[in-house]
């Protein structure tokens, strides 16, 4: 049993590592590497800390890996703020899901250390419950960081599947013994609850209303930059003459559910072509750098 558990967590870690490798091979903007590298390092280190649980009376890599994960996380956040000083403008109810998940992962990862360090918490709820909270925070951090990475624009189907498999194996392996079943149930409950709140109900309505109400930001688009591309590549409904309306105005009206969000559709649409052009070594537009498109 013990060997099987270890095997599962190693397999989970390998799956996450393979996804990270594939993600790093995707083209991005030059300056964005400073954001991407510490970000994927934080995910890998946190997954490794979950996969290598501390052994009693023996030094292990668990705690050093956890601390390194937190250091990488802060480097990631600082580089995002340095690259995109205007990132704050998206911290509203309409915040894209991937940013919300990234923030959730950052809070949960910081909680692992805070819970471990808090003497008053240990005195109040006792060491086993403190350990339980530490474990839940670690698993939630891995799951949210995995979802954050899987949802950022440019994650392919293979990357999404590898992250999902890896995180699922880590979650199961992170809760081996019977007495840890409550931790698994709480983790899954939190995850399902958060997903349900985002996908339906008043929270989803507030988010979509916020998105529709935000001013149309022409996203730095200029026809001059795209002169050599056939009009119908982008004006998909030009043929029946309904395509004269502005894309973004119409698509904001179409935003009726999370998967139809205008940001998700346009990030995939604009970014995909820029990524392909970059991979082919041609001059192209911004890929991940928000202000490359969003500055007016
Ligand atoms: C790379 C994608 C792309 C290509 C190629 C493209 N367009 Fe556009 N077009 C857009 C986008 C995006 C907008 C909305 C821009 C904005 O809101 O600033 C737009 C807006 C327009 C508008 C203004 C609609 C309005 O009322 O705001 C017209 C007219 C238009 N395009 C015509 C053309 C024609 C004609 C061609 C071919 C010569 C062409 N476009 C090629 C993406 C494209
Ligand atoms: C009059 C409304 C309208 C305008 C204007 C419009 N679209 Fe669309 N667009 C739609 C509808 C409706 C769909 C289909 C949604 C669906 O498949 O559920 C769609 C789908 C799309 C998709 C997704 C296609 C897919 O296969 O997933 C992209 C990308 C897109 N539009 C980009 C654009 C761009 C770029 C422009 C402007 C150059 C534009 N749209 C202008 C209504 C519009
Ligand atoms: C079919 C491919 C394609 C699509 C779709 C496309 N682009 Fe581009 N984009 C390009 C290419 C190619 C260039 C480089 C043109 C050049 O400078 O020669 C470019 C350049 C740009 C630039 C200018 C970069 C700079 O440094 O000046 C911006 C901004 C941009 N695109 C935004 C967008 C936005 C926003 C969308 C979606 C509404 C979009 N693009 C859709 C191919 C595309
Ligand atoms: C390749 C160009 C491109 C890049 C890069 C890009 N975006 Fe966008 N984004 C768009 C387009 C086009 C739209 C649809 C037009 C709109 O709603 O302004 C959009 C819409 C959005 C929206 C919803 C509409 C709004 O303005 O509230 C948000 C939020 C957003 N983007 C955030 C980001 C963030 C955060 C980043 C960087 C991580 C980013 N974008 C990078 C092109 C881009």
């Amino acid at each position: 049993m013990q060997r099987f558990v270890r095997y599962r967590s190693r397999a989970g870690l390998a799956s996450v590592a393979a996804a990270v490798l594939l993600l790093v091979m995707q083209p991005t903007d030059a300056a964005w590497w400073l954001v991407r590298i510490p970000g994927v390092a934080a995910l890998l280190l946190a997954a490794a800390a979950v996969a290598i649980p501390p052994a009693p009376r023996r030094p292990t890599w668990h705690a050093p890996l956890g601390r390194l994960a937190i250091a990488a996380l802060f480097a990631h956040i600082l580089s995002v703020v340095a690259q995109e000083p205007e990132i704050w403008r998206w911290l509203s109810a309409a915040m894209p899901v991937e940013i919300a998940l990234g923030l959730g992962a950052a809070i949960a990862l910081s909680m692992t250390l805070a819970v471990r360090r808090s003497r008053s918490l240990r005195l109040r709820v006792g060491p086993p419950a403190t350990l339980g909270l530490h474990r839940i925070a670690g698993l939630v951090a891995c799951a949210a960081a995995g979802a954050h990475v899987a949802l950022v624009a440019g994650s392919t189907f293979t990357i999404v599947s590898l992250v999902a498999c890896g995180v699922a194996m880590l979650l199961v392996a992170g809760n081996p013994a019977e007495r840890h079943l409550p931790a698994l149930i709480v983790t899954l409950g939190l995850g399902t609850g958060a997903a349900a709140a985002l996908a339906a109900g008043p929270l989803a309505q507030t988010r979509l209303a916020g998105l529709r109400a935000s001013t149309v930001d022409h996203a730095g688009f200029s026809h001059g930059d795209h002169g050599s591309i056939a009009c119908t590549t982008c004006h998909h409904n030009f043929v029946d003459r309904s395509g004269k309306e502005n894309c973004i105005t119409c698509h904001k009206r179409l935003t009726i559910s999370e998967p139809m969000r205008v940001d998700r559709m346009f990030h995939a649409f604009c970014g995909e072509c820029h990524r392909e052009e970059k991979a082919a070594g041609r001059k192209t537009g911004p890929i991940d750098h928000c202000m490359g498109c969003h500055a007016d």
Side-chain angles (χ1 to χ4, degrees):
M1 180 65 194
Q2 208 55 35
R3 193 176 297 166
F4 183 54
V5 165
R6 179 187 287 177
Y7 166 76
R8 251 182 331 199
S9 55
R10 297 272 153 100
L13 184 57
S15 181
V16 172
V20 161
L21 193 69
L22 286 179
L23 184 71
V24 169
M25 277 157 54
Q26 298 283 314
T28 187
D29 306 300
W32 199 259
W33 286 105
L34 290 174
V35 172
R36 188 186 261 189
I37 298 292
V40 295
L43 170 63
L44 262 188
L45 288 163
V50 166
I52 304 176
R57 287 180 292 280
R58 195 149 58 75
T60 69
W61 283 97
H62 178 76
L65 284 170
R67 288 201 194 91
L68 280 175
I70 292 176
L73 166 71
F74 280 95
H76 178 59
I77 295 175
L78 283 179
S79 57
V80 168
V81 175
Q83 287 312 312
E84 314 279 2
E86 287 190 51
I87 195 91
W88 310 112
R89 83 180 218 216
W90 286 301
L91 297 185
S92 66
M95 182 192 301
V97 177
E98 58 272 31
I99 298 188
L101 284 163
L103 284 177
I107 293 169
L109 195 58
S110 314
M111 287 284 289
T112 57
L113 193 64
V115 161
R116 224 52 199 122
R117 290 259 152 158
S118 168
R119 194 168 299 202
S120 62
L121 187 72
R122 218 171 312 144
L123 283 177
R124 211 167 307 148
V125 302
T130 310
L131 186 62
L133 285 175
H134 174 78
R135 185 190 297 271
I136 291 173
L139 295 179
V140 168
C142 267
H148 170 70
V149 163
L151 281 180
V152 291
S155 297
T156 59
F157 179 73
T158 319
I159 295 177
V160 174
S161 324
L162 282 172
V163 169
C165 283
V167 168
M169 278 191 271
L170 286 173
L171 286 187
V172 174
N175 292 281
E178 287 294 312
R179 65 197 161 89
H180 295 136
L181 198 62
L184 182 62
I185 292 171
V186 171
T187 316
L188 289 177
L190 283 176
T192 327
L198 281 178
L203 179 57
Q205 290 313 313
T206 312
R207 285 168 55 71
L208 294 175
L211 186 62
R212 273 193 297 268
S214 73
T215 48
V216 172
D217 156 359
H218 288 248
F221 182 81
S222 123
H223 280 90
D225 291 329
H226 298 89
S228 56
I229 304 168
C231 318
T232 44
T233 311
C234 304
H235 290 272
H236 59 84
N237 49 358
F238 190 70
V239 190
D240 65 359
R241 295 271 155 187
S242 65
K244 278 179 286 183
E245 198 185 343
N246 188 294
C247 334
I248 296 160
T249 322
C250 181
H251 274 270
K252 276 210 169 168
R253 224 174 29 243
L254 282 177
T255 296
I256 47 164
S257 65
E258 280 290 333
M260 293 263 296
R261 280 175 62 117
V262 63
D263 50 345
R264 181 126 344 108
M265 244 184 204
F266 277 82
H267 290 161
F269 174 71
C270 313
E272 201 48 53
C273 176
H274 291 173
R275 208 170 280 117
E276 276 167 17
E277 292 290 299
K278 175 124 183 175
R282 284 190 289 268
K283 190 171 182 301
T284 190
I287 296 176
D288 289 317
H289 180 49
C290 318
M291 289 308 154
C293 285
H294 283 284
D296 314 280

